[in-house]
Amino acid sequence: YIIVGAIAALFLAGFIALVVIDVRQQAASSPPGEVQTYDVGPGGEHSEEDIDYEQSPPVGGVHNPVWQNSGFYDQPIRDENAVHTLEHGAVWIAYSPDLPADQQDYVRELVEGQTCMLASPYPDLGSPIVASAWGKQLALENADSPDLERFIRAYRQGPQTPEPGATCTNGTSATE
């Protein structure tokens, strides 16, 4: 009975540990609760005109036929090109131009070398950091918030992406 009880206790402890690990992994990959969702349509609408978007920064809609290349930018980029990259599954981290250098460095580390990731300063931003994906947006006070990484995991090339698998390179690297 002692051996059977010990085996049962070990089995139960292992099962509980697996459940706890699974719950933690699901919580880490789920989007933060403060994400705003917008109906911006299915994508695919191109225009070479300047677009007046409802959100600032924009999260989707009509956009330029040329997408913005993935990368970290230290100058503002055109909304219309960035929106095209969102259509391809990118996450765009807009940051206040006066964001402290250490916070900008943190954003740079998140973005550089990653596919479908953009970061750029955005004048008159309502929060120090705003992360956007197609139809999704999250405002944050700090770049090192765990919610930023959760947003990236949930939405970069996520299920909301109108053109999954499309490239985020070989577009433009132009700034305003």
Side-chain angles (χ1 to χ4, degrees), residues 139-152:
L140 296 163
E141 292 300 314
N142 295 299
D144 56 0
S145 168
D147 285 343
L148 180 55
E149 290 189 40
R150 286 178 60 199
F151 185 91
I152 293 166

Side-chain angles (χ1 to χ4, degrees), residues 25-153:
Q25 285 178 340
Q26 286 181 8
S29 65
S30 65
E34 302 82 25
V35 172
Q36 299 293 313
T37 299
Y38 301 94
D39 183 10
V40 291
E45 295 183 53
H46 297 148
S47 173
E48 295 195 23
E49 303 295 320
D50 290 340
I51 309 293
D52 185 23
Y53 291 101
E54 290 184 32
Q55 298 82 31
S56 182
V59 296
V62 178
H63 51 270
N64 192 277
V66 179
W67 55 89
Q68 190 76 32
N69 289 329
S70 292
F72 181 89
Y73 295 86
D74 58 8
Q75 296 295 317
I77 57 177
R78 290 192 66 231
D79 288 349
E80 295 82 3
N81 299 104
V83 169
H84 195 152
T85 311
L86 296 180
E87 181 185 46
H88 289 190
V91 167
W92 178 17
I93 302 170
Y95 60 89
S96 177
D98 62 356
L99 188 71
D102 65 322
Q103 294 280 300
Q104 288 186 39
D105 290 343
Y106 185 82
V107 171
R108 183 187 305 268
E109 289 174 19
L110 286 174
V111 170
E112 285 187 339
Q114 299 297 315
T115 185
C116 291
M117 290 288 298
L118 293 170
S120 67
Y122 203 91
D124 303 319
L125 198 59
S127 295
I129 299 284
V130 176
S132 302
W134 189 266
K136 306 290 183 181
Q137 196 165 72
L138 176 66
L140 296 163
E141 292 300 314
N142 295 299
D144 56 0
S145 168
D147 285 343
L148 180 55
E149 290 189 40
R150 286 178 60 199
F151 185 91
I152 293 166
R153 281 193 301 272

